[in-house]
Amino acid sequence: MAIGTEAAYDKVVGMSKYIWEARPANWEMYVKHRPSLQDIPEIGRVDTQTFSVEKVISLNPDVLMLADWQYKGLGTDIERLESAGIKVIVVDYNAQTLERHVKSTELIGVITGQEKRAATIAAEYTKTVEMVSKRLAEANLPAPKVYTEFGSSGVQELGFTFGKNMWGAISTMAGGDNISAPFVEWWGKLNPEQVIASNPDVIIITGYETGKGTDSMVMGQGVDEAEARKRLEGYKDRLGWSSIAAVQNNRLYGAYHGACRTILDAAMIEFYAKAMYPEVFSDLNPEQAYLDFYKKYLPVTPEGTFTLTL
């Protein structure tokens, strides 16, 4: 919608809606603005093997757009789709690399007829990444150790962390030494003792609008900052964490999990950079950068908590 404009959805004949609907407040914000989103047929999920090739073929699309991991997961089903005359294009925002973010954005620009708009958005993203990289090189400071955890499971259960992609790649791009990288390739859980032994300087807990329990980290659309802050504070009491440098120095942060693996996550790169190097990036306002992207490129106005600093 950001790259192809809202009009792009006039031509969407089917999609996997689960990940959007899993962020109910965000989904409802868009549906309130554009009720027809609810009427788009569901084509199932690749990760739970409910993706329906037959459903896609019956919808007669010209193009099927897949994430890289979906393309790999579908295997020989790709041949069935292509033999039915459906062209398949692959985008990859999960890798969180500048090259793939830019190329994916350009591809979406092509299929939506918005090449110029896509080029502008890609150039703005590139500018942010290069600005962060340039400042880090000039500052030439030791890389702080950083740990990111998806806080849906709450304080009592260690959640997923990230190695090469998503938040792991963002933390590296922003100049951090990601403690999860030696142990997790893409995403997975660390041994609780390993987190303590690694002694991160900065900890970022991510969340959606809802979680599994009352102590789950919550962030996003409609989330009150005081509630998010209370949930984040709770992680200080996690077993064994009192000895961790990030906890002792009050360097715990919260981020909206729905704001990564998308072209608007330049704001999250800024957020990580400022969390790890507060003096080098003191002039940045990542929360405002996130809201400004919406204001410039999207038809809805988010209200909630998308970044948080204790």
Side-chain angles (χ1 to χ4, degrees):
M1 198 175 288
I3 300 162
T5 78
E6 186 180 352
Y9 274 81
D10 294 341
K11 298 188 176 183
V12 175
V13 296
M15 67 180 191
S16 292
K17 293 192 276 190
Y18 73 96
I19 193 65
W20 201 349
E21 291 176 335
R23 298 175 274 154
N26 184 284
W27 171 249
E28 287 162 14
M29 173 177 65
Y30 279 93
V31 168
K32 184 178 179 181
H33 172 76
R34 187 181 176 90
S36 61
L37 287 171
Q38 291 190 109
D39 303 326
I40 297 174
E42 170 67 62
I43 59 174
R45 299 173 55 167
V46 174
D47 58 330
T48 58
Q49 298 182 322
T50 57
F51 182 89
S52 174
V53 173
E54 291 75 16
K55 180 68 174 179
V56 172
I57 293 172
S58 75
L59 294 168
N60 196 31
D62 298 305
V63 174
L64 173 65
M65 182 170 67
L66 297 169
D68 182 59
W69 65 270
Q70 292 173 316
Y71 178 81
K72 290 172 179 173
L74 285 173
T76 56
D77 282 340
I78 297 296
E79 295 173 12
R80 291 177 59 197
L81 291 159
E82 290 180 329
S83 66
I86 300 169
K87 291 181 172 62
V88 177
I89 70 164
V90 179
V91 297
D92 185 8
Y93 289 100
N94 285 66
Q96 289 293 162
T97 67
L98 176 59
E99 180 187 11
R100 292 202 172 200
H101 260 53
V102 167
K103 181 58 71 175
S104 298
T105 302
E106 290 171 346
L107 281 170
I108 294 172
V110 169
I111 66 169
T112 59
Q114 292 287 344
E115 291 96 332
K116 187 176 179 181
R117 184 181 173 98
T120 299
I121 293 173
E124 289 173 357
Y125 190 88
T126 300
K127 185 179 178 181
T128 297
V129 172
E130 290 179 346
M131 174 273 292
V132 169
S133 180
K134 183 171 182 285
R135 288 199 196 181
L136 289 171
E138 289 173 350
N140 194 29
L141 296 169
K145 291 182 290 184
V146 58
Y147 171 68
T148 306
E149 180 179 328
F150 176 40
S152 174
S153 298
V155 174
Q156 302 306 317
E157 180 185 343
L158 215 67
F160 284 101
T161 187
F162 309 90
K164 292 180 182 177
N165 68 356
M166 293 174 61
W167 297 111
I170 285 179
S171 65
T172 302
M173 194 181 291
D177 175 9
N178 177 19
I179 70 161
S180 303
F183 310 102
V184 174
E185 185 172 13
W186 304 114
W187 58 85
K189 295 185 179 184
L190 290 187
N191 185 302
E193 286 79 17
Q194 184 60 57
V195 178
I196 297 167
S198 296
N199 194 28
D201 302 296
V202 173
I203 292 174
I204 298 175
I205 307 293
T206 69
Y208 278 136
E209 287 84 353
T210 56
K212 293 180 180 178
T214 57
D215 64 345
S216 298
M217 190 61 202
V218 288
M219 296 287 291
Q221 175 67 16
V223 172
D224 179 66
E225 184 179 334
E227 180 61 25
R229 189 175 297 279
K230 184 182 79 173
R231 302 283 184 105
L232 185 58
E233 288 273 5
Y235 282 83
K236 290 181 177 180
D237 299 325
R238 181 178 263 175
L239 186 64
W241 274 31
S242 61
S243 64
I244 294 177
V247 175
Q248 291 179 349
N249 297 320
N250 208 37
R251 298 186 72 184
L252 266 68
Y253 302 83
Y256 181 40
H257 197 68
C260 80
R261 62 194 186 281
T262 158
I263 194 58
L264 62 73
D265 60 40
M268 295 299 137
I269 299 172
E270 290 188 4
F271 179 65
Y272 267 73
K274 188 170 183 176
M276 292 187 287
Y277 301 91
E279 293 182 1
V280 177
F281 298 99
S282 60
D283 59 315
L284 300 186
N285 187 337
E287 180 98 0
Q288 192 58 51
Y290 181 83
L291 298 174
D292 285 348
F293 185 95
Y294 266 86
K295 188 175 182 180
K296 192 171 183 179
Y297 294 114
L298 289 161
V300 294
T301 303
E303 295 178 359
T305 308
F306 306 97
T307 62
L308 184 64
T309 303
L310 280 188

